[in-house]
Every structure is written in C-alpha cells, then in structure tokens.
Amino acid sequence: MSLRCAALAAALFLLLALAAPARAQDEDAPGPNAPSVEGMNPSTADVPLPDEITPELTASIAKGLKALAALQVDDGSFPSDRMERHAGITALACIAFMADGNLPGRGPYGEQVRKGLEFVLNSVTPTGLIASETSHGPMYGHGFATLFLGEVYGMTKGGGDTALSARLHDALVRACRLIVNTQNEEGGWRYNPVPHDADISVTICQIMALRSARNAGIEVPKATIDRAVEYVRQCQNPDGGFRYQLGRGGSAWPRSAAGVASLYYAGIYEGDDIKNGLDYLFKTALPGATNAARSHYCYGHYYAVQAMFLAGGDYWARWWPAIREELIATQEESGAWDDNYGRPYATAMSLIVLQMPKRYLPIFQK
C-alpha cells in the first residue's frame, strides 16, 4: 500500500511567546465581502477544487521541504539563532514532513521525522510535560508536541516498531493527562502547566492536541472539551473576532483564526459564532485584499487556512488561491521562509499551510 493510501486510510491533526495581544484591526477598514454561509457543504473540504494544486505549488513545496530538512541538527531538533532546541518547533517541522506523506522511517523525509520524534519523546518530563530545556511558555510547545504525537500514533498505530509504539502511546497519554489536569476554572489554558489563568492562543493549542489524541483512540473527557468550547465562545467579540482573554481586549485576526479553528476541532460546524468569525477574517486578513497586520503572520495563517478548509465551499475556494500565491511569492531563494521566530518555525508553518490540499493528516479531516 502506498504512503498516500496508508495515510488516508488512517485518518478518523505556536508562539511560542504570544505573551501580549496583537493590535486589534481597524474595524472600519474596507474589506472584501465574505462568502455566504448559505448552501455551505460541510464535506467540501474533502473534495478538491479545480487547479487546487498547481505546478508552482508543487515546486515550492519540494524546495521548502528540502530547505527544512537542512535545518535539522543531529539531536533531531530544528534550532535557530532565535529559538533553540524547542520541542514545539520540532513537532511542527515534523508535521510539515508528515503533510507530504512521510512517517517515522518511511518516505523521502522519514528519517527527519524519526529523528524529530526521538527528540520530542526525549523531551517528555516525568509529569508528562513536553518541553526541552530552553522552552519559553512551555504549554505552547507542549500543545504542538502533543498534536504531533497524536498524528504519529494515529497514522502508525498497530504497525512498525512495537517498542517505539508503546513508548509513543505512554507519552501521548501522559501529555493529554497533563492538559486535562491543568485546565483552569474558565475552561482554558495559559503559558505554564498550572490552572490559574488562560488565554485563547494557548487554549487552541490544547484543543487541537486533544482532538488529535481522541482521533487516534486516546480517551479524552467530554467535559474538558465542553468547558474549552465555552471559554472560546466567551472570548468572541461582537465584531466576530476574538479577544486575547476573557473580559479584556479587542479583536485581532491571528487569534481570531485560532478561535474559529478551535470551534471546528471541537465538532462545531455551523452557527453564528462560526459565520461571524469567518466574516471577520475575510474583512481583516484575506491575503492580497486587506491590510492585515504582519505580527504573528505564520501563526495566523496556519489557523486561518484550517478554518477555511473546514468551512469548505466558497470560503475555501476564495481563501486558498490567495494564501497559496502569497506564500509562494514570499519564499526565499533557499526554499525557506523567515519571521521573528526563525526559519525552522516559519518554514514549517508555511509548508503546513501549502500542503493542506494533500489531505494527509488526520487532524484536517472532518
């Protein structure tokens, strides 16, 4: 069976320091009208658009994957001069390779995924927290690393190295238990694994991690998800965007994209909160048609493309070509992308966005 078939058959899928809310967008700024939600087909995310994958996209991805592989060091991590030995960034880089059909030890970049998995597993602490020694705000990295473990487990369960499978299962269960046990009274999570306060950006990382684990067969309490959904909903502002924390803050498109995506991953596919959130993103962040703030660009588009993909229909049909062309145009000659968090992070996030149409990762399936 091909890697493509194996990955599809298994399907049932940052920043690190967003310590301060991004500036709110100008709510009066002109923006394109969002597509109508009427007639939206929840299954359209599973049906490719005509010309969804272009020769230019294929070439860009191939160049990007090669550049990303060159950024990995011997211990399996993807450090940069701005973020060193970070479990979350390593996880995102491996997810970018898995989005091309690679699995640990299997595929053209299977060795990179295997080494990255070893680094992430070696970063699991006795408490279940996944954090390398230089991690900042460890719950971000923990969320992305747990997501990666859930995707690997879901796509390889029952096969391969049984000792590695057992180790992976144990780490994933303990990582999920830590998430469940550190949810605060509001229903969210914050930078550190203690149930004190919460913000929406850390919360979405944990929601996606739990969704991936649940898809892979790991038990996740329904009450945990329900409380998280309520927290996200209470963070939505009247304009459709999302504030950083309960009770304070205006809307900003990166965290609003995360807010909409989190509702989808919690199993909510329609409603005013979804429609208003999608409309807000079209007004403030559609590539090439708005003056969206560049702060947290990769983070925002990582979630925005997921939200539009899961919305399907005209949402996906209009958003996808716009972000595809913008990312291809901003790729460096080396094949990498760059931002304030370094090339490994920006390259991984950009590749995950550009490989959405491949539909390999279980987390992206409805």
Side-chain angles (χ1 to χ4, degrees):
M1 181 180 289
S2 69
L3 288 175
R4 181 184 293 268
C5 293
L8 290 174
L12 278 180
F13 170 119
L14 251 193
L15 89 149
L16 314 175
L18 296 179
R23 289 189 307 172
Q25 300 289 324
D26 180 358
E27 302 306 332
D28 294 325
N33 293 325
S36 171
V37 75
E38 294 180 5
M40 185 176 67
N41 182 353
S43 68
T44 51
D46 298 324
V47 180
L49 296 170
D51 300 321
E52 198 172 66
I53 298 178
T54 64
E56 293 78 12
L57 174 65
T58 300
S60 175
I61 291 171
K63 193 174 181 180
L65 291 171
K66 183 177 180 180
L68 183 61
L71 296 172
Q72 189 176 36
V73 297
D74 289 343
D75 68 1
S77 66
F78 291 78
S80 70
D81 57 353
R82 283 163 266 186
M83 298 296 299
E84 296 183 358
R85 289 177 52 81
H86 196 281
I89 292 177
T90 299
L92 288 167
C94 291
I95 289 170
F97 291 123
M98 291 174 66
D100 189 49
N102 299 280
L103 296 172
R106 295 165 54 189
Y109 294 102
E111 182 62 11
Q112 282 76 17
V113 180
R114 185 196 67 77
K115 289 173 63 178
L117 177 60
E118 279 294 329
F119 177 80
V120 171
L121 290 174
N122 289 336
S123 300
V124 180
T125 68
T127 66
L129 178 68
I130 306 174
S132 50
E133 65 268 26
T134 59
S135 292
H136 172 79
M139 285 305 285
Y140 271 122
H142 180 83
F144 290 126
T146 304
L147 168 63
F148 168 51
L149 296 184
E151 294 302 283
V152 173
Y153 187 69
M155 295 172 74
T156 61
K157 186 169 54 178
D161 185 334
T162 55
L164 178 61
S165 179
R167 185 181 173 202
L168 174 59
H169 178 268
D170 176 69
L172 180 57
V173 168
R174 289 193 291 129
C176 289
R177 185 180 301 131
L178 180 134
I179 294 174
V180 171
N181 291 339
T182 57
Q183 187 178 33
N184 83 336
E185 291 183 355
E186 295 174 334
W189 292 266
R190 192 90 158 116
Y191 301 122
N192 294 302
V194 288
H196 291 165
D197 56 355
D199 72 67
I200 197 168
S201 59
V202 176
T203 296
I204 172 56
C205 291
Q206 314 315 313
I207 291 176
M208 287 190 70
L210 294 178
R211 171 62 183 263
S212 177
R214 186 176 64 180
N215 285 352
I218 304 300
E219 184 176 352
V220 175
K222 182 178 182 297
T224 300
I225 301 299
D226 289 345
R227 291 172 60 208
V229 169
E230 184 59 24
Y231 175 82
V232 171
R233 281 179 154 161
Q234 289 182 33
C235 285
Q236 190 168 33
N237 286 321
D239 63 5
F242 289 77
R243 64 180 69 93
Y244 186 61
Q245 292 181 290
L246 290 183
R248 71 181 185 91
S251 301
W253 77 267
R255 62 172 170 267
S256 298
V260 176
S262 69
L263 294 177
Y264 277 120
Y265 287 120
I268 300 168
Y269 297 112
E270 58 184 21
D272 288 343
D273 42 12
I274 292 285
K275 181 183 183 304
N276 292 340
L278 293 170
D279 289 351
Y280 174 84
L281 291 176
F282 265 87
K283 178 182 178 182
T284 60
L286 179 64
T290 60
N291 295 317
R294 301 292 294 184
S295 179
H296 308 309
Y297 176 89
C298 292
Y299 171 89
H301 280 299
Y302 167 80
Y303 285 117
V305 78
Q306 294 176 51
M308 299 303 168
F309 179 79
L310 293 169
D314 288 341
Y315 291 108
W316 175 242
R318 289 188 57 196
W319 195 277
W320 168 242
I323 187 57
R324 178 186 64 197
E325 301 314 312
E326 185 163 285
L327 284 177
I328 291 174
T330 56
Q331 187 175 24
E332 296 178 346
E333 183 60 32
S334 68
W337 286 264
D338 197 9
D339 75 355
N340 290 337
Y341 296 111
R343 284 182 174 82
Y345 167 74
T347 303
M349 294 292 253
S350 297
L351 284 169
I352 292 170
V353 171
L354 289 177
Q355 295 183 98
M356 283 293 296
K358 294 185 178 182
R359 296 167 169 82
Y360 278 126
L361 294 168
I363 192 65
F364 292 148
Q365 311 300 321
K366 278 198 172 182

